[in-house]
Amino acid sequence: MILAIDTSCDETAAAIVQGRRVLSSVVFSQIHEHQQWGGVVPSVAKRAHTQRIEPVIEQALRKAHVSYRDLKAVAVTIGPGLAIALEVGIKTAQRICMEQRLPLIAVNHMEGHLFSPFVQNSRGNPVREFPFPMIAVLVSGGHSEFVLWTDTMKYEVIGRTVDDAAGEALDKAAKILGFGYPGGPIIERLAAEVGNRDLYQFPRPMLRSPSFDMSFSGLKTSLLYQVRSMTEDQKNTKLHDLASSFQEAVFDTILRKLTRAIRKTKVQTLTLGGGVGVNARLRALLRRYARANDINLYTPPFKYLNFDNAAMIGIVGSYKLDAHQYVADIASLDRIPRLSLPAFQTIAEQSRFMKKRVLMKS
Ligand code: KG4
Ligand code: ZN
C-alpha cells in the first residue's frame, strides 16, 4: 500500500492506494478561502496546507483501516504547482519516510491527471486495460495539452497551449463578465442556458499553424474588446451569449487541434483528464467526435478524479514503485514548480517519434 500526498494548488489531498485501487481518498478544498481574492493566493494556500496536511493524512489512513506499518512507500507531487504549496506536501512526505524508513516516490501532478481514467475503486472497478497507443487530452486550470501515450510509463506531449490554459481562459472570461472564481462552472451554466450557441464567433487562434499547439490568450482579448464596446445594459442582456460564444471558441479550438493530432497518429483511443474535463459541453463534443470516427473515449470513472486529488498520484506511484523509481536521496528532494511532462523540442523530432511508435500511413 502507498500513501500519496498532493498539495500542488488549492486542495490538500492524501490517499491510500494498492496497485490501481483506491482504498481511501481525502481532499480538503480551500476554495472558500481563495474566493474572496478572486483566485488562488499562494500564501493563503501554504497556511491552509500546513494546518490541514496532518489531519488529512490521518483521515486517509483511518478510512482505509491502515497504519504506517502497512505502507510500502510514500508518493508525493513535486510539481507543477505553487512552490510554497508543493513544499508542504514534500516536507511532510520526507518526514514520514525518514521516521518510518519508507522509500519516497516523486510524481508529476500531470502524470496523475494522465492516469486518472484508469484509477479503480477499492473493489477494483472499473476494469480497464490500457489500450495503447492513446492520446490524452489534459485540460485544467494550469495546463492544456495533448499527450501521446504509448506505454505505461512512456508519454510525450505533442501539443500544448502556448499561453493560457483552457481552465485559466474560462476563469478569466468569467472575471471579465463580472463573475467570481472558479469561472469554468459559471461559464458552463450560462452557455447551457442558451443551448451553447455561438453568436459572437470569436476567432479560433493558431488553426493555420501545422502544430498541435493552442493559444487562448488572444481569445480573452477578443472578449474584452467585445464587452468594452457594449454598454453595461447591453452586456448584461448578452451575458449568456458572451459566455457561450467564448466557451465554444475554446472547445472548438481544442477539438480541431485534437482532430488533426488523431488523424496524424491514427490512434483509436482518446482519454480526458483535468478539471475542465467535467464540463458537459466539452464531453458532449468529444463523445460526438469519437462516435463519428470510431474512437474509444475514456474519462475518469468517478467525478472526484477530474479534480485535484491524491488518489491519481498514488496510482502513478504504484507503477513507479514496480519500476523501482525511488528518490535516491530523500532529504534533498525539492519541488519543481514548472515541471512538465516530457516533450519534443522540434516538430521533426516529434514526427520521427510518432512514425516509430504509432503506425502512421504517411
Ligand atoms: O484540474 P483542476 O482541478 O486544477 C488544476 O490542476 O488546475 O482544474 C481547475 C480548473 C479551473 O480553471 C476551473 O475553472 C475548471 O477547472 N473547471 C471547469 C469546470 N469545473 C472546473 N471548467 C469548465 N467547466 C466546468 N464545469
Ligand atoms: Zn490538477
Side-chain angles (χ1 to χ4, degrees):
M1 275 175 277
I2 292 180
L3 163 67
I5 298 170
D6 184 288
T7 59
S8 55
C9 190
D10 58 346
E11 336 270 345
T12 313
I16 305 294
V17 308
Q18 189 166 34
R20 268 208 264 164
R21 297 178 187 214
V22 180
L23 307 188
S24 69
S25 172
V26 179
V27 179
F28 198 110
S29 174
Q30 307 167 2
I31 207 148
H32 299 294
E33 280 141 279
H34 297 289
Q35 249 159 2
Q36 55 180 314
W37 310 106
V40 178
V41 183
S43 58
V44 173
K46 179 188 172 158
R47 184 162 19 103
H49 284 310
T50 309
Q51 279 167 2
R52 269 142 210 175
I53 186 73
E54 300 291 340
V56 164
I57 291 173
E58 290 301 326
Q59 204 183 335
L61 288 164
R62 209 171 336 115
K63 274 194 170 170
H65 306 290
V66 163
S67 74
Y68 282 115
R69 280 190 308 280
D70 304 316
L71 297 177
K72 238 181 155 179
V74 177
V76 68
T77 300
I78 57 161
L82 299 171
I84 59 175
L86 290 161
E87 260 165 29
V88 179
I90 294 172
K91 284 199 181 121
T92 309
Q94 284 167 320
R95 184 182 50 71
I96 295 172
C97 287
M98 290 195 229
E99 280 173 12
Q100 307 291 331
R101 299 179 173 278
L102 289 168
L104 182 57
I105 300 163
V107 178
N108 179 327
H109 180 81
M110 297 312 289
E111 289 177 305
H113 283 302
L114 180 70
F115 276 74
S116 62
F118 299 93
V119 174
Q120 298 172 333
N121 65 12
S122 60
R123 298 208 186 104
N125 288 316
V127 180
R128 288 178 177 173
E129 298 303 318
F130 290 92
F132 299 118
M134 301 183 254
I135 285 182
V137 180
L138 305 183
V139 275
S140 71
H143 294 261
S144 293
E145 46 207 25
F146 302 131
V147 180
L148 180 59
W149 195 4
T150 51
D151 203 348
T152 322
M153 298 311 264
K154 277 199 191 125
Y155 31 79
E156 302 276 346
V157 173
I158 55 168
R160 56 161 42 118
T161 176
V162 296
D163 40 54
D164 294 351
E168 187 180 3
L170 294 169
D171 291 339
K172 286 179 178 168
K175 214 174 204 174
I176 292 171
L177 296 178
F179 294 98
Y181 173 84
I186 301 166
I187 301 279
E188 175 178 16
R189 183 174 50 77
L190 292 171
E193 285 171 19
V194 287
N196 300 299
R197 87 182 153 205
D198 188 5
L199 189 65
Y200 291 101
Q201 309 209 335
F202 293 121
R204 275 65 166 154
M206 288 189 73
L207 285 189
R208 260 181 253 125
S209 128
S211 76
F212 310 130
D213 288 341
M214 299 165 284
S215 159
F216 296 114
S217 86
L219 190 53
K220 172 194 63 194
T221 314
S222 303
L223 175 69
L224 196 62
Y225 285 157
Q226 178 61 45
V227 168
R228 281 198 189 142
S229 74
M230 301 164 96
T231 65
E232 195 61 19
D233 274 356
Q234 282 171 333
K235 183 188 100 179
N236 288 336
T237 55
K238 288 293 184 199
L239 276 182
H240 292 77
D241 274 307
L242 289 164
S244 182
S245 302
F246 188 87
Q247 184 178 266
E248 285 305 290
V250 172
F251 293 166
D252 189 38
T253 304
I254 293 175
L255 206 72
R256 292 214 218 171
K257 286 288 182 166
L258 178 64
T259 304
R260 195 175 287 172
I262 288 178
R263 281 210 196 109
K264 193 92 193 241
T265 55
K266 311 270 189 288
V267 304
Q268 257 146 18
T269 305
L270 202 57
T271 71
L272 179 63
V276 183
V278 291
N279 186 288
R281 176 62 178 163
L282 177 60
R283 285 187 174 214
L285 289 169
L286 287 177
R287 230 179 284 124
R288 194 170 68 191
Y289 169 77
R291 212 174 299 131
N293 291 280
D294 235 348
I295 282 168
N296 300 310
L297 173 65
Y298 287 80
T299 57
F302 308 106
K303 194 165 179 188
Y304 81 93
L305 291 169
N306 281 282
F307 301 109
D308 287 350
N309 66 85
M312 64 186 190
I313 303 302
I315 305 309
V316 177
S318 294
Y319 285 96
K320 294 201 171 188
L321 183 72
D322 288 347
H324 304 285
Q325 292 179 16
Y326 313 124
V327 173
D329 178 8
I330 292 178
S332 64
L333 181 69
D334 203 1
R335 78 278 188 297
I336 310 177
R338 301 181 64 85
L339 181 66
S340 51
L341 291 174
F344 298 99
Q345 301 306 311
T346 63
I347 301 248
E349 205 184 16
Q350 176 171 312
S351 52
R352 266 199 304 277
F353 174 85
M354 295 202 303
K355 271 189 192 129
K356 213 160 57 185
R357 293 280 165 205
V358 186
L359 290 175
M360 266 180 34
K361 287 180 208 141
S362 86

